Amino acid sequence: MRSGEELDGFEGEASSTSMISGASSPYQPTTEPVSQRRGLAGLRCDPDYLRGALGCLKVAQVILALIAFICIETIMECSPCEGLYFFEFVSCSAFVVTGVLLILFSLNLHMRIPQINWNLTDLVNTGLSTFFFFIASIVLAALNHKTGAEIAAVIFGFLATATYAVNTFLAVQKWRVSLRQQSTNDYIRARTESRDVDSRPEIQRLDT
């Protein structure tokens, strides 16, 4: 009996010693998630997205919007100037917003913010850009003075409108698919929860 008590005492001392040494050791494992420690170091470009239809359209939209903005900025004189200012605002806004979305999608940064419906965000951006680029190009075509920069801006404006229109069509289809998938997942989750309740009679007795 005494030897057993002595062994238990030795085991207790060994366990306490290991706990103390482990707590004071600078090499103890951390419980911090890898994603938090990694930060932005794990960013990688997604070549599949850039090679896909949506990625190619995004790149084309950024390039066309930038060229249209540069063309409109080279115009030194205008009368009236309202159409030019409106086209300048639309092309600059489309370039900035689409460029930001291109960076987010190509680097998969949008996956780190799941609270935002990115399919709907892309749909709203492409739809509004299609509408405003089309209106701005028509207004500039009606009020321009037939200079080379104005004609080039109108041409690139209509080309940007076409790319945004195609992207809007694809974004609508992708948004509908995501809605169907979400409804399917909700249905499966509801069926699973109902089966769990049916398999637990004690829950039914508590409810009654």
Side-chain angles (χ1 to χ4, degrees):
M1 293 294 293
R2 185 175 180 180
S3 61
E5 292 176 357
E6 290 178 355
L7 289 175
D8 293 337
F10 289 149
E11 290 176 357
E13 292 177 359
S15 60
S16 61
T17 304
S18 62
M19 290 175 62
I20 295 173
S21 62
S24 60
S25 175
Y27 304 104
Q28 60 182 344
T30 179
T31 57
E32 183 181 0
V34 177
S35 60
Q36 294 182 2
R37 291 187 288 106
R38 185 174 55 187
L40 298 178
L43 292 181
R44 291 183 180 180
C45 183
D46 188 1
D48 294 333
Y49 174 79
L50 295 176
R51 286 194 295 263
L54 293 177
C56 292
L57 286 172
K58 280 285 184 293
V59 174
Q61 290 160 10
V62 171
I63 295 174
L64 292 174
L66 178 60
I67 295 176
F69 178 73
I70 293 175
C71 290
I72 209 69
E73 285 295 310
T74 58
I75 301 174
M76 297 290 102
E77 298 179 359
C78 61
S79 179
C81 298
E82 288 77 9
L84 187 145
Y85 293 154
F86 181 59
F87 189 92
E88 179 183 13
F89 171 76
V90 171
S91 59
C92 180
S93 301
F95 168 73
V96 172
V97 176
T98 307
V100 170
L101 290 177
L102 176 62
I103 294 174
L104 291 174
F105 292 152
S106 60
L107 297 179
N108 286 328
L109 288 174
H110 65 290
M111 302 295 292
R112 302 191 178 188
I113 314 176
Q115 296 82 4
I116 299 177
N117 190 337
W118 291 104
N119 292 328
L120 183 59
T121 302
D122 187 33
L123 174 60
V124 172
N125 172 64
T126 54
L128 292 177
S129 299
T130 302
F131 175 76
F132 285 111
F133 244 127
F134 182 69
I135 298 299
S137 300
I138 290 179
V139 172
L140 186 62
L143 300 179
N144 71 75
H145 299 83
K146 310 301 181 183
T147 62
E150 290 175 322
I151 295 175
V154 170
I155 292 175
F156 284 108
F158 280 117
L159 290 176
T161 302
T163 57
Y164 276 109
V166 175
N167 197 348
T168 302
F169 175 75
L170 296 178
V172 169
Q173 290 184 332
K174 187 176 181 180
W175 179 59
R176 289 178 176 176
V177 170
S178 65
L179 285 180
R180 286 196 294 266
Q181 290 178 350
Q182 183 178 0
S183 61
T184 302
N185 293 334
D186 293 340
Y187 174 76
I188 294 174
R189 188 181 302 111
R191 288 293 302 273
T192 303
E193 292 177 354
S194 64
R195 289 176 180 175
D196 292 339
V197 172
D198 294 338
S199 62
R200 296 180 181 179
E202 64 275 8
I203 299 180
Q204 296 179 356
R205 289 195 298 269
L206 290 176
D207 293 338
T208 57

